């Protein structure tokens, strides 16, 4: 009989161990993405290759600007936006530990001490009152048998959420880095605009002096002097407008780097606005590089595991208990006869009727999975669109910059010729004003295009996921 009982016990334990590996979550496969072999906006075809060796990290160093390097370092160290994203990631990791704690037994220690007087009128008292001490030291153990994978799938879901939070942290970091670089190049573009306007004001002052001299000599009319004063004052007003825009941009950089705007300053500097070449890679690498794509994929995995959590509610919740310790009313509490123990209770709880609550929860979890999958597809499509946008902008702005530079050079020659003709008396000052206005607009447009090229280089690296490969 003993052998039969042992065999039966072994069979039950074996069945429990086998069932403990059960998971009611659907088998998960990362969503397949269909990537074209090459970007539409890139001429020619490039074979796909793994992106594991792609350089990462301080991508802004390709601009070779020490001021930008310092700003990016300060943003990494002091940005409140990045600090908030890091805190969310820490909370997500802590939640994994919290959920995983359900996979091991809970042990609670307890002690008690008391003095009690029992009434003489109590049952079986022999008519006398009794006063006694009671001391107890013990512990209890509770453990849920995760036969249906509810706890395991919860842990897996939280781990996927933590991975998504980590990807979100990377996305926030990349967005912050790109925002700092974008604002910085806008600032340098405004510095170039301010330098151009100051040079223009000096040229207009010389032209106005010439007009005044000609007017005093009776050669030019008062209308010419008024036109010279008008265009000079308009140029000075543009200097003030540019200074105002630069101040706002400087304050924006201060906030991005976690500094107080009142104590933050970047010295004006005119530097060449020529972006470095950036290789585009191939579309198949884009899904691997972009942290927002990784985040969306991990959200699908988490939703998939939570379907298993919802399904587990259809099965019994089985838990085991164990208790033991020592207790005594007199003498040594640790004497040989003071020990006690209790095995159990072993409980199995199964909801028989819930008005459709569990069925609704499974439907909710499936709908959340479908939503996460749709969001993933949307994120991938957005990633390809942004990459194509920036690749197209890079190419078109390069052509636009060359044409705009030629236009500015032609306008400058026209301005010089108009001034010479006016000095020689071959034309009136209206031709000079027209040529000066056109020249300033063309030169400012050329600087604006160059600034846009720098911003587009930043946006391209951001669209590619933060890594770059210098083009050969």
């Amino acid at each position: 009989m003993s052998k039969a009982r042992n065999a039966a016990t072994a069979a039950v334990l074996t069945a429990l161990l086998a069932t403990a590996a059960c998971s009611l979550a659907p088998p998960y496969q990362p969503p397949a993405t269909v990537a074209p072999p090459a970007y539409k906006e890139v001429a020619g075809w490039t074979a796909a290759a793994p992106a594991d060796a792609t350089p990462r990290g301080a991508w802004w160093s390709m601009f070779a600007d020490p001021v930008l390097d310092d700003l990016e370092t300060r943003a990494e160290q002091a940005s409140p936006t990045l600090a908030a994203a890091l805190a969310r990631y820490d909370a997500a990791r802590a939640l994994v530990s919290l959920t995983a704690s359900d996979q091991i037994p809970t042990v609670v220690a307890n002690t008690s001490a008391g003095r009690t007087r029992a009434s003489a009128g109590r049952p079986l008292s022999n008519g006398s009152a009794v006063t006694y001490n009671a001391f107890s030291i013990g512990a209890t153990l509770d453990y849920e048998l995760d036969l249906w994978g509810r706890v395991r799938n919860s842990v897996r879901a939280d781990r996927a959420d933590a991975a998504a939070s980590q990807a979100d942290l990377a996305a926030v970091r990349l967005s912050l880095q790109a925002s700092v670089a974008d604002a910085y190049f806008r600032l340098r573009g405004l510095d170039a605009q301010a330098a151009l306007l100051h040079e223009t004001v000096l040229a207009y002052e010389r032209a106005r002096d010439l007009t005044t001299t000609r007017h005093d000599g009776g050669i030019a009319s008062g209308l010419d002097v008024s036109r010279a004063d008008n265009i000079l004052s308009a140029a000075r007003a543009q200097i003030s407008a540019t200074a105002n825009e630069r101040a706002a941009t400087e304050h924006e950089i201060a906030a991005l780097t976690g500094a107080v705007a009142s104590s933050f300053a970047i010295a004006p500097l005119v530097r060449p606005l020529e972006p470095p070449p950036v290789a585009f890679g191939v579309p198949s690498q884009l899904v691997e590089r972009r942290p927002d794509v990784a985040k969306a994929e991990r959200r699908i995995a988490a939703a998939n595991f939570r379907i298993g959590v919802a399904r587990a509610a259809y099965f019994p919740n089985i838990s085991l208990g164990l208790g033991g310790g020592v207790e005594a009313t007199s003498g040594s509490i640790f004497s040989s006869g003071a020990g006690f123990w209790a095995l159990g209770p072993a409980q199995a709880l199964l909801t028989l009727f819930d008005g459709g609550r569990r069925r609704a929860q499974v439907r909710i979890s499936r709908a959340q999975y479908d939503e996460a999958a749709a969001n993933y597809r949307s994120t991938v499509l957005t990633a390809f669109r942004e990459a194509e946008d920036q690749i197209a902008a890079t190419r078109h702005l390069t052509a636009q910059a060359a044409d705009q530079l030629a236009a500015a050079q032609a306008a400058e020659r026209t301005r010089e010729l108009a001034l010479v003709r006016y000095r020689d008396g071959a034309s009136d000052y209206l031709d000079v004003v027209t040529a000066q206005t056109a020249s300033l607009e063309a030169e400012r447009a050329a600087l604006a295009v160059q600034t846009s090229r720098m911003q587009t280089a930043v946006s391209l690296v951001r669209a590619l996921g933060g890594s770059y490969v210098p083009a050969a």
Side-chain angles (χ1 to χ4, degrees):
M1 181 65 70
S2 177
K3 291 182 179 180
R5 186 183 298 111
N6 291 338
T9 302
V12 171
L13 291 175
T14 302
L16 287 175
L17 291 174
T19 311
C22 174
S23 173
L24 299 177
Y28 177 70
Q29 291 292 334
T33 57
V34 179
Y39 291 110
K40 172 185 175 182
E41 298 295 340
V42 179
W45 297 86
T46 305
D52 297 341
T54 301
R56 299 178 184 271
W59 54 265
W60 56 88
S61 61
M62 69 179 180
F63 294 101
D65 190 318
V67 177
L68 177 60
D69 294 344
D70 177 65
L71 292 174
E72 294 288 1
T73 300
R74 294 169 67 175
E76 177 73 22
Q77 296 173 348
S79 169
T81 303
L82 189 60
L86 180 59
R88 289 194 298 270
Y89 175 49
D90 289 340
R93 289 192 301 173
L95 182 60
V96 174
S97 299
L98 177 63
T99 307
S101 66
D102 291 337
Q103 293 180 307
I104 59 178
T106 300
V107 180
V108 178
N110 55 75
T111 60
S112 65
R115 183 173 177 81
T116 303
R117 181 181 185 277
S119 169
R122 73 187 187 282
L124 305 177
S125 65
N126 296 324
S128 61
V130 178
T131 301
Y132 63 92
N133 298 322
F135 303 97
S136 174
I137 300 176
T140 59
L141 179 148
D142 293 305
Y143 179 59
E144 177 184 345
L145 294 179
D146 190 26
L147 300 182
W148 324 116
R150 183 191 68 83
V151 177
R152 291 194 305 279
N153 284 322
S154 295
V155 173
R156 290 166 181 165
D158 287 342
R159 282 175 179 164
D161 280 337
S165 182
Q166 183 179 21
D168 183 59
L169 173 62
V172 170
R173 178 178 283 111
L174 175 58
S175 177
L176 173 66
Q177 294 166 349
S179 296
V180 170
D182 181 90
Y184 175 74
F185 289 126
R186 279 190 281 118
L187 185 81
R188 290 311 182 207
L190 292 170
D191 286 343
Q193 297 267 3
L196 171 63
L197 288 170
H198 281 293
E199 293 175 359
T200 300
V201 165
L202 293 176
Y204 286 1
E205 287 176 344
R206 291 192 296 268
R208 193 270 313 271
D209 293 341
L210 172 63
T211 306
T212 302
T213 300
R214 289 171 61 84
H215 175 266
D216 293 342
I219 302 175
S221 66
L223 181 60
D224 289 346
V225 175
S226 296
R227 286 170 174 165
D229 288 336
N230 175 59
I231 194 171
L232 175 60
S233 297
R236 287 172 175 168
Q238 292 180 47
I239 290 178
S240 298
T242 302
N244 179 54
E245 188 176 352
R246 187 190 191 279
T249 305
E250 189 176 65
H251 300 160
E252 177 185 347
I253 296 175
L256 290 170
T257 56
V260 179
S262 303
S263 58
F264 181 84
I266 300 176
L269 175 66
V270 178
R271 55 155 291 168
L273 297 174
E274 186 64 35
V278 179
F280 308 130
V282 293
S284 61
Q285 296 172 329
L286 185 64
V287 177
E288 300 173 6
R289 291 174 175 172
R290 297 258 307 208
D292 56 340
V293 175
K295 171 186 173 182
E297 186 276 327
R298 288 290 81 200
R299 294 298 186 198
I300 301 178
N304 182 79
F305 290 128
R306 290 196 169 96
I307 294 176
V309 175
R311 285 176 170 178
Y314 282 104
F315 297 87
N317 187 320
I318 302 175
S319 61
L320 300 178
L322 177 65
V326 291
E327 60 183 1
T329 58
S330 62
S332 174
I333 194 174
F334 297 107
S335 62
S336 58
F340 69 91
W341 60 268
L343 180 61
Q347 296 181 340
L349 303 177
L350 175 63
T351 301
L352 298 179
F353 179 75
D354 60 6
R357 178 185 297 272
R358 288 169 295 176
R359 183 169 61 254
Q361 188 59 54
V362 172
R363 291 174 59 192
I364 290 172
S365 60
R366 287 187 178 279
Q368 290 172 341
Y369 175 87
D370 293 338
E371 179 186 5
N375 289 337
Y376 174 80
R377 291 192 296 271
S378 175
T379 302
V380 171
L381 292 174
T382 299
F384 285 131
R385 177 186 62 79
E386 291 177 350
E388 293 284 4
D389 286 348
Q390 300 311 318
I391 292 171
T394 299
R395 186 176 76 253
H396 295 311
L397 283 173
T398 300
Q400 182 182 355
D403 293 335
Q404 190 62 54
L405 178 60
Q409 293 171 344
E412 183 178 5
R413 290 193 299 269
T414 302
R415 183 196 64 195
E416 294 173 352
L417 290 173
L419 191 58
V420 170
R421 284 174 57 81
Y422 174 72
R423 186 184 298 115
D424 295 341
S427 64
D428 60 18
Y429 201 73
L430 180 60
D431 291 341
V432 176
V433 171
T434 301
Q436 287 177 331
T437 302
S439 177
L440 178 58
E441 290 178 352
E443 291 180 3
R444 294 191 70 180
L447 289 176
V449 172
Q450 288 300 102
T451 302
S452 294
R453 291 184 66 201
M454 300 297 288
Q455 292 177 273
T456 299
V458 173
S459 298
L460 176 58
V461 173
R462 179 178 182 177
L464 296 177
S467 56
Y468 75 95
V469 179

